[in-house]
Amino acid sequence: MADTMSEQKSVRVALGDRSYDILIGARLLAEAGRHIAPLVKQPRAFVLSDETVAARYAGALEESLGASGLSMKLKTVPPGERSKSWETLGGVLDWLLEAGAGRDDVLIALGGGIVGDLTGVAASLMKRGMGFVQIPTTLLAQVDSSVGGKTAVNARQGKNLIGAFYQPRLVLADTSVLSTLPERERLAGYAEIVKYALIDDPAFFDWLEQHGRDVVALETEALAHAVAVSCAAKARIVSQDETEAGVRALLNLGHTFGHALEAANGFKSSLLHGEAVAAGMALALRYSVRQGLMNGQDAARAAHLLETAGLVTHLKRLPGGPYPADTLTEAMKQDKKARAGRVPLILARGLGRAFIQPDADLSDVREFLNEELQQG
C-alpha cells in the first residue's frame, strides 16, 4: 500500500490482466473524472444510483466527469434492499440498451452495496460484459461489497442467488462522503471491518479494541487506517481465490447466519446487512465454542467489541424479529453450497483464526439456535 501526494491510499487487487486499484481518501468524488476518463473510449459515462444518494452526490459526480470531457447519463432506483431484484435489474438493462450503451462504455455504481451489486450484475450481462466502476458511498461498501467482484441480486428463495463474479475496473472510496451516513449505516460497515480482524488478523482486532469507537465516529486517521487495512485484506484473499473455490469463503464469516436472519426478516430495513452480519459473527463464534473449537472468553471478547460500538449480538434483542430457529435453518438450506441437511459455515479456533467447516449439521445448528433464543 502506498500513499499519494494528497494522502490518498492505493490498494491493488492483483488479478492478472483484470487487476485494478482501490483508491482511498477524502475528496475522491471531485477527482472521479480524471480517474475514469482513461477507462472509456467515448466521451460519456453511465451512472446508476439510488434516489437518495443521487440527490446528494450525482451533481458533484457530473461536474467532475464534465471537467474531464465526459457527459453523464443517470438512472436512479428506489433506495433499499427491494431494488436488488430481478425486476429492477431488467429495468436497468432496458435503460442501457435504449441509451445505446456498448461494451466500450463504463457503468458507474454511485451508492452503497445494493447499488454496487445491481450495477455489477447489469455490467456483466450487458452485451456479455461492459466495464464498470465502483464509487461506494457507505462504509460497508467501501470495505467489503465494492471490492472483489462478487455481484448478485436477490430471489424470493434467498439473498444473492442470482449473480456473477465480475470485477470492476476501478474503485474510488471517498471517505469524506461517509460524514452524511446515519449511525446505523456506520455501524453496519464497522461490522465488516471487525470481520477482517476475526478472520486472520488478531493484531488488527487488538487495534480495534483501542480505536474502534474512533472508526465509528469517523475520526479521520482511524477511519483511513481501518478502511485501508480492510481493503488490503480483502484484496489479498480475492487475489488468491477470485471465484470462492477455497480461501475466499472465509470472507463469509457471519454471513450464513446473517443472510438467514435477513431472509427471515423479509429483507426489510428494520435489519441492515451489517447488523445481521454482526449478529451472525457472534453466533458463528459461539457455535465454535459449542463445538469445542475455541474458548468462550475469545467469543465473548468479540461480542463485546461489537456491542460496545452499538451492535446487537443476541437473537432475542435483534431488531426485526422474532427469528425462530426453524425459520433460520430453513433459510440456510438455500445456501448455494448446502447439501442434504449440511451447510458450510465459517467457524474459528480463536480470534483471527477462522476456518471453513464444509459440512455443518443443520439439525445441530437448529438446536444451538434454540439455545441462543433462551439467552440474552
Side-chain angles (χ1 to χ4, degrees), residues 214 248 268 345:
D214 295 331
R248 183 168 179 166
K268 296 191 292 290
L345 284 179

Side-chain angles (χ1 to χ4, degrees), residues 50 53 57 110-114 135-146 173-174 177-178 181-182 185-186 188-189 227:
D50 73 43
V53 173
Y57 296 120
L110 177 66
I114 292 167
I135 305 181
T137 58
T138 67
L139 180 57
L140 188 151
Q142 289 190 3
V143 301
D144 185 62
S145 60
S146 68
D174 185 342
V177 306
L178 302 179
L181 284 182
E185 294 282 357
R186 296 201 305 271
V227 172

